[in-house]
Amino acid sequence: MSKQIRTGMVLALAVAPLVCGQTVVAQQKEPDWSKVQIKVTKVSGNIYMLEGQGGNIAASVGEDGIVIVDDQFAPLAEKIQAALKELKITDKPVRFVINTHYHGDHAGGNVPFSKAGSTLIAQGNVRRRLETGGTPQAMAARSKWT
C-alpha cells in the first residue's frame, strides 16, 4: 500500500469520529416544542388519533371524560389538552392515561397529566420502569423478579 493511501486512510479514520460525533449531538438536540402542532383525526365514533412529536395518541371521548393511550412529551401536554378541548364533544378532562411503554415519546407527559387530575395506568413492568427512571439497571435493583 502506498504512503499516500495509508495517510489518507489514517486521516479518514481520525476525522470520522469527529464528524459522526457532531451528527449524534445534532440528533440529540431538543426539538422546538413551540413549533410542534397536534393534529387530530377522527377514527370512528368517539375514537380519535392525535399526532404531534413522537408516538401517536389514541383518545376515547365519553360522557364522563376522556381516556388517552400515551401522552407524548411533557412540553406538549398543554397542546394535547387544548386539541382535545377543540373537539367540542365534551368539556370533561382527561380522566385516564394508559401508558403502553416507558419511552418519553409515549409517557413523557405523565407528570403534567397527573397534576391535572388524570389517573395513570400501566402494566406492572412498565410502571416499575417508569418509577425507576426507565433504566434496566435501576429496574432490576428494585424488582422482585431478580
Side-chain angles (χ1 to χ4, degrees):
M1 179 175 344
S2 78
K3 186 175 181 178
Q4 271 187 323
I5 293 174
R6 254 193 320 249
T7 303
M9 288 175 61
V10 168
L11 183 60
L13 289 172
V15 171
L18 297 174
V19 172
C20 293
Q22 292 296 335
T23 302
V24 169
V25 169
Q27 289 175 351
Q28 292 176 351
K29 184 179 173 187
E30 190 88 3
D32 183 351
W33 301 114
S34 67
K35 293 182 180 178
V36 176
Q37 295 183 0
I38 305 298
K39 177 185 171 195
V40 179
T41 304
K42 184 172 184 164
V43 176
S44 179
N46 292 351
I47 306 296
Y48 296 84
M49 177 182 69
L50 285 74
E51 300 170 80
Q53 179 77 29
N56 294 332
I57 298 172
S60 175
V61 181
E63 293 177 13
D64 57 347
I66 302 170
V67 175
I68 62 173
V69 179
D70 293 331
D71 54 22
Q72 294 194 354
F73 295 101
L76 298 177
E78 287 183 24
K79 287 185 175 192
I80 292 165
Q81 290 174 344
L84 291 167
K85 285 184 181 177
E86 287 175 17
L87 295 175
K88 297 184 179 165
I89 295 173
T90 183
D91 60 350
K92 304 292 182 187
V94 174
R95 295 202 49 213
F96 299 97
V97 175
I98 301 170
N99 293 139
T100 59
H101 64 288
Y102 73 96
H103 289 146
D105 65 327
H106 291 266
N110 282 357
V111 171
F113 275 98
S114 179
K115 285 182 179 179
S118 302
T119 299
L120 305 175
I121 301 171
Q123 187 267 349
N125 291 329
V126 173
R127 181 179 176 202
R128 280 194 298 278
R129 195 139 192 196
L130 288 167
E131 287 174 334
T132 61
T135 64
Q137 296 82 4
M139 187 178 158
R142 292 185 55 178
S143 175
K144 296 176 186 174
W145 304 102
T146 57

